[in-house]
Amino acid sequence: MSHSPLPLPRRRFLALGGIAAGAAVLAAEPASATSTASDSRVTLPGYVFTLGVASGDPTSDGVVLWTRLAPDPLALDGLGGMPDRPVLVRWEMAEDENFRRVVRRGVERATADWGYSVHVEVHGLRPDRVYWYRFRIADQVSPVGRTRTAPRPGTALQSLSFAFASCQAYTDGHFTAFEHMAREDLDLVVHLGDYIYEGGGAGSIGRAHCPAVETFSLTDYRIRYAQYKLDPSLQAAHAAGPWVVAPDDHDVENNWAGDHSQPDTEPDQDPAVFRLRRAAAYQAYYENLPLRASSMPQGPEMQVYRRLQFGDLLQLDVLDTRRFRDRQLTDASLRWDPRRQMLGAEQEAWLLAGLAASTARWNVLGNQIFAMEADHTAGPAERYGMDTWDGYAAARQRLFDGVAERNVENFLVVTGDAHRSVAADLKLDFSDPGSRTIGTEFLGTSISSGGNGTDHDSLGVTWLAENPHMKFHNSQRGYQVCHLGRDEMRTDYRVVPFVNAPGAPVSTRASVHVQSGRPGVAHVSA
């Protein structure tokens, strides 16, 4: 950030494939300062930090640090090859990457109950500051991660940059986009769901799912997460900076809604049975991501929606668009039923109250499924997807009316899920192109889901023709970078030409600009 009291060095990219080698070098350092007699006697079956490190949910005085111990990540019991007893994990945080200025250190207890995951909530740090962190057990040391605290709320900022991404099907493609993201100069990464896919497919590029069946049990989900997190590109992106994460459907099951399994499940799953599956999925999600204790699941419940603030420039409201929604419709004529919920009454009220009270220049929703209207059919007929906000049109209208009534300024929505990119004006009445625009939505493509993709496809042609509020479309793979300034924000759509093999380059397909105080897309530069 240009506003930082500490000059931001050019991001040092963590060498892909060299994580274990780097850890071996660190392990050669004297461990006496951070080890005790109790942890020096630990006998481990192998290197335990195979899944890397991560940080997340930054505040102005702290951040969450994460790792998960797994010397045998794909062990059939889902416990990563760890011995069946608690293990003390030491951590430290420094102002320099050589750890000469350590500012915080401590010990956490990793247990089998939570998959030997470690979540450290560090406090007492300086605002808007770069830090480095690592973990240690006996003579083993983790890779080094880099993170950053948020600027203090209300602090005047000139700029801030964050990436957002979603949908990384392991079987569909390589995570090359994350390799490039790790090199970006970012303050934050927002991940909007489908971190894993629950199916048992093998794909066609040599990246078959493990286990080779659909995930249902906690053991299944733990193994699946371990497989994904072994990917060096994903590890590099996590180690490069803090993440804010929220699950979508495939993190549990495709198209689930509330207490109901996906609509095409045969026979329809008993809600009580589905809640057991969701409990397993939620626990594995928490175990594998840098989330605070406030998001620790209680059975089938987990606190997903939350608010983060970054100086006076950004208020980020992370939504939960799965847990509180009504069942997906089979009759599209009911999508305007005013009783239907997407966010649930409590989350909807929390969101609108927070937007009304916001003093940030830009108000951004981290949203899992697109909010804009999207007619899928050419000509006078209309067809809408029932899993998106289009299937909950009355709930969307309540939200948009609430935004308009509260005069929320610079309202932006960043979204994943659809495996394609769109920039669109958000209208109070999508049937009237002249209706008031209340904000802008940036739909982001997938990291790998859907395979290579193309620059433009037939659905994109239809969408642009039938939905005049859409201003840009692309169906390649990649991620998005949002650059927030005081007078303008710009979203760069970063794409890779292929994912069926490693090594793809990255380029900016288009940059979409929004001017402060003027809702909607100002212009698109290709």
Side-chain angles (χ1 to χ4, degrees):
M1 300 182 201
S2 60
H3 50 274
S4 172
L6 176 71
L8 180 65
R10 182 175 178 85
R11 172 153 290 127
R12 180 178 59 83
F13 179 62
L14 299 175
L16 300 180
I19 290 174
V25 172
L26 284 172
E29 299 174 357
S32 58
T34 54
S35 61
T36 66
S38 60
D39 67 14
S40 66
R41 291 196 300 266
V42 171
T43 300
L44 297 168
Y47 183 64
V48 298
F49 298 110
T50 57
L51 303 182
V53 299
S55 66
D57 275 17
T59 64
S60 60
D61 80 329
V63 70
V64 180
L65 308 181
W66 171 94
T67 193
R68 179 181 162 210
L69 312 179
D72 182 8
L74 303 182
L76 295 180
D77 65 358
L79 293 177
M82 286 295 293
D84 188 16
R85 60 187 176 84
V87 177
L88 295 181
V89 183
R90 313 192 78 80
W91 60 271
E92 55 186 351
M93 202 165 193
E95 293 180 336
D96 66 301
E97 57 187 319
N98 295 316
F99 290 83
R100 294 189 180 95
R101 299 191 304 277
V102 173
V103 294
R104 291 288 184 277
R105 56 163 51 100
V107 180
E108 292 291 322
R109 192 167 176 261
T111 68
D113 289 346
W114 291 96
Y116 294 98
S117 62
V118 178
H119 297 76
V120 182
E121 296 190 27
V122 186
H123 300 285
L125 302 175
R126 297 183 184 184
D128 195 12
R129 185 91 178 190
V130 173
Y131 291 93
W132 285 262
Y133 61 94
R134 64 187 178 187
F135 300 88
R136 186 191 301 267
I137 300 178
D139 63 347
Q140 294 193 17
V141 182
S142 74
V144 173
R146 178 186 182 279
T147 192
R148 187 173 195 135
T149 53
R152 187 176 287 115
T155 301
L157 307 182
Q158 294 302 311
S159 63
L160 184 147
S161 296
F162 70 89
F164 70 95
S166 67
C167 303
Q168 52 211 51
Y170 189 87
T171 57
D172 283 4
H174 293 265
F175 296 168
T176 313
F178 281 132
E179 177 183 341
H180 294 293
M181 184 190 290
R183 296 189 178 102
E184 299 271 6
D185 187 5
L186 301 171
D187 300 302
L188 187 71
V189 173
V190 180
H191 195 284
L192 296 169
D194 295 348
Y195 193 94
I196 64 162
Y197 277 67
E198 81 286 12
S204 60
I205 61 171
R207 284 166 65 92
H209 264 151
C210 187
V213 295
E214 186 166 346
T215 54
F216 287 94
S217 69
L218 178 57
T219 297
D220 292 341
Y221 283 106
R222 281 173 168 168
I223 295 171
R224 184 64 53 82
Y225 274 99
Q227 179 183 36
Y228 277 55
K229 295 190 80 70
L230 282 169
D231 188 280
S233 299
L234 178 57
Q235 286 195 25
H238 270 300
W243 285 39
V244 174
V245 301
D248 193 23
D249 55 340
H250 287 288
D251 301 295
V252 180
E253 180 191 34
N254 184 44
N255 285 355
W256 69 276
D259 285 338
H260 300 280
S261 58
Q262 63 183 16
D264 57 352
T265 299
E266 295 292 344
D268 191 17
Q269 215 168 66
D270 184 315
V273 174
F274 178 70
R275 283 194 293 271
L276 292 175
R277 182 180 187 180
R278 191 175 73 225
Y282 273 177
Q283 178 165 341
Y285 187 84
Y286 176 81
E287 289 174 352
N288 285 279
L289 287 161
L291 289 159
R292 295 185 177 276
S294 56
S295 291
M296 180 182 288
Q298 303 293 323
E301 307 301 329
M302 183 169 75
Q303 184 64 39
V304 171
Y305 67 86
R306 57 203 189 278
R307 177 168 295 126
L308 296 94
Q309 294 179 303
F310 299 82
D312 70 343
L313 202 58
L314 169 63
Q315 176 172 299
L316 174 63
D317 289 323
V318 181
L319 302 186
D320 184 344
T321 58
R322 287 288 163 190
R323 175 64 192 93
F324 307 107
R325 63 159 70 187
D326 287 311
R327 297 187 74 171
Q328 190 179 123
L329 288 171
T330 56
D331 181 356
S333 67
L334 300 176
R335 68 193 194 99
W336 284 96
D337 183 342
R339 297 168 296 180
R340 285 176 54 74
Q341 295 280 350
M342 170 62 85
L343 302 177
E346 183 177 321
Q347 182 181 190
E348 189 175 294
W350 165 85
L351 175 60
L352 288 173
L355 289 171
S358 174
T359 58
R361 179 63 61 106
W362 301 96
N363 294 287
V364 179
L365 303 192
N367 171 59
Q368 289 78 34
I369 38 85
F370 62 76
M372 62 190 169
E373 187 171 89
D375 180 6
H376 287 54
T377 301
E382 296 180 352
R383 181 170 63 86
Y384 302 100
M386 292 297 100
D387 186 55
T388 70
W389 283 84
D390 274 337
Y392 302 78
R396 175 176 62 198
Q397 194 65 53
R398 280 197 310 273
L399 174 59
F400 284 12
D401 287 345
V403 168
E405 290 163 4
R406 290 160 177 79
N407 296 312
V408 178
E409 294 187 353
N410 297 331
F411 178 64
L412 307 174
V413 179
V414 296
T415 304
D417 182 70
H419 308 172
R420 60 184 63 244
S421 297
V422 173
D425 295 346
L426 296 176
K427 312 291 286 187
L428 269 186
D429 181 358
F430 284 105
S431 68
D432 176 10
S435 173
R436 177 181 171 185
T437 298
I438 62 160
T440 314
E441 181 167 26
F442 298 100
L443 172 61
T445 187
S446 64
I447 291 291
S448 63
S449 303
N452 288 339
T454 60
D455 183 68
H456 215 41
D457 61 9
S458 59
L459 180 58
V461 171
T462 299
W463 273 15
L464 290 176
E466 296 299 314
N467 304 280
H469 49 279
M470 296 184 184
K471 309 301 181 182
F472 165 75
H473 173 273
N474 172 266
S475 57
Q476 292 171 285
R477 304 295 154 244
Y479 58 95
Q480 300 68 228
V481 180
C482 297
H483 303 278
L484 305 182
R486 301 205 69 80
D487 300 321
E488 183 184 75
M489 71 85 60
R490 180 184 88 245
T491 296
D492 295 336
Y493 282 92
R494 304 278 282 158
V495 300
V496 294
F498 58 86
V499 294
N500 63 333
V506 70
S507 62
T508 298
R509 174 59 182 83
S511 295
V512 181
H513 302 255
V514 176
Q515 295 177 1
S516 178
R518 299 184 63 182
V521 174
H523 65 280
V524 179
S525 54

